[in-house]
Amino acid sequence: MISKKVANVTEALQGVKDDMTFMFGGFGLSGIPENAIAELVKLNVKGLTCISNNAGVDDFGLGLLLQQKQIKKMISSYVGENDEFERQMLSGELDVELIPQGTLAERCRAAQAGFPAIFTPAGYGTEVAEGKEIREFDGKMYVLEHAFKADFAFIKAWKGDAAGNLIFKGTARNFNPNMCGAAKITVVEVEELLPVGELDPNQIHIPGIFVQRIFKGAHYEKRIEQRTVRQRN
């Protein structure tokens, strides 16, 4: 069994350079690779293209990279709760490609499966389809969307083993599974890193073949983006 385990986040991010394209798992602040993002801030790599559902908030998640002007382009489905993301987009400082959320997920999954492109009905007849190939299937129009090409995918999982097998917990099972294996190198940080054989095979969501590096993360904040509570009776 090939071990994918590395000692820490520093070793996991070896090879990261300016002007690369990165994928980041997570939805809002749920299941984001906090340790990898913090290390990228520390490394101060610039000119990044980031593929992520959104960009966190101003002082957390990908918002930290936006604050340091490390991101050149965001490929996302929405701006979310990040005022700095909105400001940079409207001012022209940041190149932004907004695409339908399902299309974002499927372009990741296509890359994971080795498909060069997909056809989707999402966006047909709108600005999303401008300049793209349109084809009719069974009387319905579809838009050609290419699979993503990324250098690194940064993933957050709940549990993993040294072979890279992964289990996600709750809503952290969002874009993370689709992004595993969708880049040249998939880096996973986990809350619990176990020896091979300790995970129940029937509970594994992603097999280790989709993972190149795995390490045990630390100091997770797990912030709540919008805290909602019930009115007291």
Side-chain angles (χ1 to χ4, degrees):
M1 184 70 68
I2 299 174
S3 176
K4 314 293 180 66
K5 180 180 176 181
V6 296
N8 50 45
V9 66
T10 301
E11 185 177 344
L13 267 63
Q14 285 186 0
V16 164
K17 299 177 182 178
D18 291 349
D19 303 313
M20 281 187 164
T21 298
F22 297 152
M23 289 180 166
F24 293 90
F27 189 98
L29 301 182
S30 174
I32 64 172
E34 297 178 33
N35 286 250
I37 292 172
E39 183 69 11
L40 289 169
V41 173
K42 180 180 175 182
L43 292 172
N44 197 33
V45 286
K46 302 283 189 179
L48 304 178
T49 296
C50 296
I51 302 166
S52 176
N53 183 63
N54 62 301
V57 293
D58 288 83
D59 62 343
F60 195 61
L62 291 184
L64 297 171
L65 295 174
L66 284 172
Q67 280 185 348
Q68 301 300 318
K69 306 293 180 65
Q70 293 174 251
I71 301 177
K72 175 183 64 177
K73 180 177 181 178
M74 281 295 308
I75 300 175
S76 304
S77 70
Y78 72 110
V79 175
E81 304 293 328
N82 195 315
D83 292 335
E84 180 62 14
F85 187 179
E86 179 183 14
R87 188 196 67 76
Q88 290 188 26
M89 180 178 70
L90 295 177
S91 68
E93 298 173 44
L94 180 68
D95 186 8
V96 177
E97 180 182 349
L98 293 176
I99 60 178
Q101 195 167 87
T103 302
L104 178 69
E106 289 305 307
R107 289 175 69 182
C108 293
R109 199 157 68 96
Q112 178 191 67
F115 299 144
I118 60 168
F119 276 102
T120 173
Y124 172 70
T126 72
E127 293 180 4
V128 170
E130 290 182 3
K132 298 176 182 176
E133 181 182 342
I134 307 297
R135 189 175 296 186
E136 180 180 348
F137 294 93
D138 297 323
K140 190 172 183 177
M141 306 306 292
Y142 291 78
V143 181
L144 179 70
E145 297 281 2
H146 291 276
F148 288 125
K149 295 180 181 179
D151 298 292
F152 281 82
F154 298 111
I155 306 300
K156 163 65 166 51
W158 177 37
K159 293 182 180 181
D161 64 21
N165 298 305
L166 305 176
I167 297 175
F168 300 93
K169 186 176 183 180
T171 51
R173 191 179 176 186
N174 38 55
F175 283 88
N176 279 301
N178 281 13
M179 289 183 174
C180 289
K184 294 176 182 176
I185 298 174
T186 294
V187 174
V188 182
E189 54 184 83
V190 293
E191 295 177 43
E192 296 183 42
L193 184 53
L194 304 170
V196 175
E198 291 295 310
L199 297 179
D200 180 350
N202 295 303
Q203 300 300 316
I204 290 172
H205 296 133
I206 291 292
I209 194 170
F210 290 109
V211 175
Q212 280 71 51
R213 303 172 189 173
I214 187 169
F215 69 97
K216 187 179 185 303
H219 311 300
Y220 287 108
E221 292 188 45
K222 298 185 180 180
R223 293 194 196 179
I224 297 175
E225 192 168 359
Q226 289 287 351
R227 186 180 296 273
T228 304
V229 296
R230 187 174 61 185
Q231 292 285 346
R232 179 179 296 179
N233 294 328

